[in-house]
Amino acid sequence: MLEKLSSGLRSCIERLTRTTLVDKEVVDEMLRDIQRTLLSGDVDVKLVFELCEKIRKRAFEQIPKGLTRKEHVIKILYEEITNIMGKEPEIGMPKRILLVGLFGSGKTTVAAKLARFYQKKGLKPLLVCCDTFRPAAYEQLEQLAKKINVPFYGDEKIKEPHKIINQCNLKNYDIVIVDSSGRDALNNDMIKEIKDISNALNPDEKILVIPADIGQAASQQARAFQDALNITGVIVTKLDATAKGGGALTACAASGATVKFIGTGEKLGDLEVYDPKRFVSRLMGFGDLESLLEKAKEVVKPDIAEKIIGEKFDMNDFCEQIESMQKVGTMDKILDMMGLSGAKIPKDVLGVQEEKMKKWKHIVNSMTKQERSEPDIINASRIARIARGSGSSEADVRELVASYKKVRKMIRMLKPGKFRGLKLGMKGFEKLLKNFRM
Ligand SMILES: Nc1nc2c(ncn2[C@@H]2O[C@H](COP(=O)(O)OP(=O)(O)O)[C@@H](O)[C@H]2O)c(=O)[nH]1
Ligand SMILES: [Mg+2]
């Protein structure tokens, strides 16, 4: 996600960490890099210059006790960038959410993602289709609802969306999420339609859905919807698919709108509560380690990663790890959160399916204790035995062993200075995952 912005910021920090003396010249050079990086990510020019001025001023203020100048500069860089990324939202437990936005912004997808999000919190959501404008809008939401096993309501015969709300029994649900029709632009027709729905629904949240690829134009769009419809927040979607995401997020913040969630992929699990601090620390490659930032000192210390990550990596670790990954998301996302997104993971390992996982579990169960802790001893005759014992084919066993070796190799290659010698054991991995569960 936002690879260019991220790699730009990371290389700034890396260069800074390599410098022995942080003087005015070094800071100026860093700021030039930051400017270039942010501007290429479609962040507003004025915002970028203001940011750099602030950093320049603060860089040579009195350094807090216990920090070096270098650590201090990294810390303010993080703080100021977090600042322009907006405020931490309040998510709460709204009872009725109305989603609005232009064509193709991702409303319908977000409706289903939100339903899944609240469902995971143990609530009973209802999805309602009030998009009477686009053909097949009804089926699209109905299918998504089915996928996540959430009740759905809609009526294809009704052409005035607010009447759908009037007809629908909203009472039996903890949270009602309403999808509405888009337009090419916010026009009077759309405003009236949304006001009518809003009067019928009386939503706690009126959320504007904005696709990240519009970049800094998000600011104008957010303002227009705020003025016309009093929206309570924004969801920025498609952050995975554009380099302009930083522009969109900073533009929303600049317009005064609060970004509540971000959409980071097409799958229904690809929705995150937007937390600017966490977001920026990920971009900057600090991983999601808040504590790490309380004392900027630790930013450049590698032992955090080592501390949270255990000692060994055998077949047991591998299986548990893949299982946990499936609960949380794909491994590239997890590595991204850890600030290790540079690591190349074999594609076939990323997409291990549940079915295969089950099979692999049987296979691992048929291994001896020694085979599990020292997978290198698994030779052809052992493969044949394991296949027989687990009721799978030799090819399956070989595939599992090969995948394990690929991941192990990847982990061993993770040694860009700060993560040297790092081995991903299950204990550390789980500790890490806990941080990311909502
Ligand atoms: N890559 C990516 N695609 C998304 C995301 N959210 C939605 N989409 C895609 O964007 C397209 C339009 O989404 P849809 O929900 O139908 O938009 P709507 O017209 O506002 O209801 C669909 O192809 C979605 O799969 C996202 O976060 N990332
Ligand atoms: Mg739609």
Side-chain angles (χ1 to χ4, degrees):
M1 190 168 54
L2 302 185
E3 284 79 10
K4 251 173 116 181
L5 183 56
S6 178
S7 69
L9 291 174
R10 284 173 201 213
S11 72
C12 281
I13 292 169
E14 254 168 46
R15 211 167 311 152
L16 203 61
T17 11
R18 266 188 269 116
T19 319
T20 24
L21 178 72
V22 177
D23 56 11
K24 192 174 166 305
E25 216 170 291
V26 170
V27 170
D28 282 343
E29 195 189 316
M30 175 193 84
L31 290 175
R32 271 195 299 277
D33 287 344
I34 297 278
Q35 273 174 15
R36 207 174 305 127
T37 303
L38 292 175
L39 290 174
S40 75
D42 204 36
V43 179
D44 176 65
V45 178
K46 192 161 158 264
L47 207 57
V48 173
F49 283 108
E50 282 169 7
L51 169 97
C52 288
E53 268 324 294
K54 271 193 205 147
I55 295 175
R56 202 188 315 271
K57 251 196 212 129
R58 288 187 61 196
F60 294 98
E61 68 192 9
Q62 202 176 0
I63 304 168
K65 257 207 177 109
L67 294 188
T68 64
R69 165 104 43 216
K70 194 190 298 184
E71 291 158 352
H72 177 60
V73 171
I74 293 175
K75 184 166 176 281
I76 57 178
L77 180 62
Y78 163 77
E79 285 171 357
E80 294 300 337
I81 291 191
T82 305
N83 253 338
I84 63 166
M85 288 290 181
K87 288 193 292 283
E88 200 178 325
E90 264 180 52
I91 298 302
M93 290 284 173
K95 294 226 169 333
R96 293 173 185 192
I97 302 178
L98 172 59
L99 297 169
V100 302
L102 303 182
F103 277 140
S105 56
K107 287 177 300 301
T108 306
T109 312
V110 158
K113 284 179 175 179
L114 279 176
R116 183 183 177 275
F117 174 82
Y118 286 106
Q119 183 190 41
K120 292 245 172 233
K121 290 199 177 299
L123 299 179
K124 225 171 99 186
L126 171 72
L127 278 166
V128 181
C129 173
C130 274
D131 183 350
T132 52
F133 200 80
R134 224 194 69 187
Y138 177 98
E139 283 87 8
Q140 188 191 357
L141 190 59
E142 186 185 35
Q143 272 168 20
L144 292 174
K146 242 187 219 148
K147 224 183 208 172
I148 48 174
N149 223 353
V150 163
F152 165 79
Y153 185 81
D155 189 335
E156 285 178 290
K157 291 186 286 302
I158 298 181
K159 289 296 161 218
E160 288 158 289
H162 65 276
K163 293 192 178 158
I164 297 177
I165 300 291
N166 291 337
Q167 251 190 29
C168 172
N169 179 5
L170 307 171
K171 288 212 181 70
N172 295 331
Y173 303 94
D174 298 319
I175 178 161
V176 177
I177 299 162
V178 178
D179 185 19
S180 66
S181 322
R183 298 289 192 282
D184 286 328
L186 181 61
N187 56 23
N188 290 338
D189 186 29
M190 185 178 189
I191 294 173
K192 177 172 186 310
E193 184 175 300
I194 292 168
K195 280 189 174 163
D196 286 346
I197 301 177
S198 199
N199 288 336
L201 179 70
N202 196 14
D204 313 294
E205 294 270 12
K206 233 181 286 171
I207 294 186
L208 170 64
V209 180
I210 294 184
D213 51 23
I214 67 168
Q216 55 179 295
S219 162
Q220 197 198 348
Q221 199 176 107
R223 278 206 190 94
F225 275 82
Q226 261 173 333
D227 293 346
L229 296 161
N230 260 327
I231 52 162
T232 59
V234 172
I235 295 181
V236 176
T237 61
K238 308 188 192 180
L239 269 168
D240 55 308
T242 171
K244 291 186 176 178
L249 290 168
T250 49
C252 286
S255 78
T258 310
V259 178
K260 301 225 162 184
F261 291 88
I262 50 177
T264 58
E266 289 190 70
K267 291 206 207 74
L268 296 185
D270 297 334
L271 182 80
E272 292 175 29
V273 171
Y274 179 59
D275 175 346
K277 278 191 189 156
R278 184 187 277 198
F279 188 78
V280 174
S281 61
R282 258 159 67 191
L283 279 184
M284 295 176 81
F286 300 157
D288 184 38
L289 306 167
E290 257 295 299
S291 59
L292 209 142
L293 295 153
E294 281 164 20
K295 235 178 126 216
K297 208 168 191 157
E298 289 172 320
V299 169
V300 285
K301 267 196 177 174
D303 57 71
I304 296 284
E306 275 152 46
K307 237 186 264 167
I308 52 171
I309 282 163
E311 288 295 302
K312 60 179 178 55
F313 180 75
D314 63 17
M315 194 59 91
N316 295 312
D317 297 323
F318 176 62
C319 274
E320 280 179 64
Q321 201 172 300
I322 291 200
E323 220 171 337
S324 318
M325 271 187 252
Q326 293 188 306
K327 284 187 205 130
V328 192
T330 51
M331 185 145 176
D332 53 348
K333 282 199 180 144
I334 293 164
L335 288 174
D336 195 27
M337 287 175 172
M338 289 166 65
L340 296 175
S341 63
K344 289 265 172 290
I345 322 273
K347 278 269 179 303
D348 46 344
V349 176
L350 285 178
V352 178
Q353 297 303 311
E354 233 164 273
E355 272 307 298
K356 194 180 274 181
M357 208 39 239
K358 268 189 214 144
K359 200 184 273 177
W360 283 8
K361 274 192 104 167
H362 289 307
I363 297 176
V364 173
N365 283 337
S366 292
M367 290 178 183
T368 64
K369 213 170 155 194
Q370 197 196 1
E371 283 162 349
R372 266 178 256 165
S373 59
E374 296 166 52
D376 285 326
I377 64 168
I378 302 175
N379 55 17
S381 69
R382 285 178 191 265
I383 285 177
R385 195 208 75 243
I386 294 167
R388 268 198 311 280
S390 58
S392 43
S393 70
E394 289 183 25
D396 286 334
V397 181
R398 252 182 265 119
E399 186 192 25
L400 165 65
V401 173
S403 295
Y404 158 76
K405 284 186 178 163
K406 272 188 206 163
V407 171
R408 185 178 63 181
K409 188 169 158 209
M410 180 275 296
I411 287 167
R412 285 182 179 163
M413 280 186 326
L414 281 179
K415 52 171 182 185
K418 49 184 180 171
F419 295 110
R420 195 176 306 115
L422 173 141
K423 289 179 185 171
L424 203 54
M426 193 53 213
K427 268 205 202 90
F429 196 72
E430 259 195 345
K431 229 188 255 175
L432 203 68
L433 292 182
K434 275 195 196 114
N435 286 321
F436 305 123
R437 293 219 175 100
M438 304 266 189

